[in-house]
């Protein structure tokens, strides 16, 4: 079941010709990967239905629309027998003599995007064209195409093109999805740890091999051990100091007691000699 779900997620919709604008009466096709479990569906002014029902014709695993009409404009996607859906494509059927060729699906930031202005009579001709975004002119080219070298979110919007003395196209939305700002890859380090390594530009400082999350993990685990070791050392030091001070107090107290005894009559001369000489009163003469 898990493998089946994974394979279902890989299916995508393919559109030919690969553009969001189709000329009226033009033939276009749609197909799904893994067509045995996926079907082409559409949402148009006629409602939601599957290819081969009231529109299109299934030829092998491809949905063919022989002649496009305005009511074929809408949203198209692939849907599995269990209800999963692929990303959708918005198709516009136009009766203009000019169509804008742009990406059918969202593009990722940093990619190169080329917009082309095509005519219905001969789409291979290169004619001077003017490109507009949100109704404002953003470029002009005698080759009939405009390239955005590295697309960004600011390039997202409604685009159209115009060929002087021929006509203008309908509007199509260019979707741009956010991409990673840095290229990251994983590589094994000498100690067996696999960390995230960032591709840095020339002259940039080397990136740390350990990720911040792993560094924080080491800190969280190691700090309690370090603190407990320091605390245990402090306790042992205080214990030793207390024992040493207590032993000195006892010795001094015993000495004062013996000296007081020597002052009483009759004194024990041998005991007093031991006290004044600094020897322990319990240590006998070694002979």
């Amino acid at each position: 079941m898990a493998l089946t779900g994974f394979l279902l997620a890989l299916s995508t919709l393919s559109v030919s010709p690969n553009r969001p604008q189709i000329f009226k009466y033009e033939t276009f096709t749609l197909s799904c990967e893994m067509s045995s479990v996926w079907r082409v569906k559409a949402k148009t002014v006629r409602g939601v239905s599957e290819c081969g029902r009231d529109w299109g014709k299934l030829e092998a695993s491809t949905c063919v629309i022989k002649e496009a009409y305005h009511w074929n404009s809408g949203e198209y996607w692939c849907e599995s027998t269990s209800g999963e859906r692929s990303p959708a494509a918005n198709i516009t059927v136009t009766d203009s003599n000019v169509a804008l060729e742009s990406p059918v699906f969202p593009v990722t930031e940093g990619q190169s995007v080329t917009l082309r202005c095509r005519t219905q009579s001969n789409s291979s001709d290169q004619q001077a064209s003017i490109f507009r975004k949100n109704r404002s002119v953003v470029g002009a080219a005698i080759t009939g195409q405009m390239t955005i070298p590295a697309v960004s979110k600011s390039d997202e919007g409604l685009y159209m093109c115009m060929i002087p003395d021929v006509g203008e196209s309908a509007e199509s939305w260019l979707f741009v999805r956010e991409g990673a700002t840095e290229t990251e890859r994983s590589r094994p380090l000498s100690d067996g740890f696999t960390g995230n390594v960032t591709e840095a530009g020339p002259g940039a400082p080397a990136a740390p091999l350990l990720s911040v999350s792993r560094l924080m993990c080491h800190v969280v685990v190691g700090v309690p051990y370090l603190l407990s070791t320091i605390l245990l050392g402090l306790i042992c030091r205080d214990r030793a100091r207390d024992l040493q001070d207590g032993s000195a107090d006892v010795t001094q107290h015993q000495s004062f007691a013996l000296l007081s005894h020597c002052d009483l009559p009759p004194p024990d001369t041998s005991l007093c000699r031991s006290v004044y000489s600094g020897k322990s009163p319990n240590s006998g003469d070694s002979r």
Side-chain angles (χ1 to χ4, degrees), residues 99-263:
L100 174 68
E101 182 179 325
S102 61
V104 176
F105 297 102
V107 294
T108 305
E109 282 185 315
Q111 288 184 338
S112 176
V113 174
T114 299
L115 306 177
R116 294 183 178 88
C117 221
R118 308 175 69 94
T119 61
Q120 186 174 17
S121 57
N122 190 350
S123 59
S124 62
D125 283 347
Q126 294 182 348
Q127 302 186 54
S129 306
I130 300 172
F131 295 88
R132 290 190 176 97
K133 173 194 170 188
N134 300 330
R135 300 301 177 93
S136 298
V137 176
V138 291
I142 60 174
T143 59
Q145 65 180 38
M146 182 186 76
T147 300
I148 305 173
V151 71
S152 65
K153 288 292 289 183
S154 62
D155 295 313
E156 194 172 69
L158 278 172
Y159 285 81
M160 64 176 296
C161 68
M162 181 186 70
I163 299 177
D165 301 327
V166 178
E168 62 181 24
S169 72
E171 292 180 318
S172 288
W173 192 273
L174 175 64
F175 292 94
V176 180
R177 57 171 172 257
E178 293 183 356
T181 56
E182 295 176 330
T183 304
E184 292 188 346
R185 61 186 177 89
S186 238
R187 72 178 180 190
L189 305 181
S190 57
D191 60 353
F193 164 72
T194 301
N196 291 328
V197 180
T198 302
E199 296 282 353
L209 296 179
L210 290 177
S211 64
V212 175
S213 59
R214 181 165 289 272
L215 179 60
M216 291 302 297
C217 179
H218 287 310
V219 171
V220 170
V221 173
V223 165
Y225 288 103
L226 178 61
L227 293 178
S228 61
T229 302
I230 294 174
L231 183 61
L232 183 61
L234 292 175
I235 292 174
C236 292
R237 186 195 65 178
D238 293 341
R239 284 279 183 87
R241 183 179 296 172
D242 291 343
L243 291 175
Q244 183 178 1
D245 293 343
S247 175
D249 291 341
V250 171
T251 303
Q252 186 177 9
H253 178 72
Q254 290 176 350
S255 299
F256 285 148
L258 290 175
L259 288 173
S260 299
H261 178 73
C262 291
D263 294 336

Side-chain angles (χ1 to χ4, degrees), residues 8 37 79-84:
L8 291 177
V37 291
E79 187 169 315
S80 71
T81 53
S82 56
E84 290 88 357

Side-chain angles (χ1 to χ4, degrees), residues 266-284:
D268 186 345
T269 58
S270 62
L271 183 62
C272 293
R273 264 197 316 269
S274 299
V275 173
Y276 286 114
S277 63
K279 296 181 179 179
S280 172
N282 295 326
S283 61

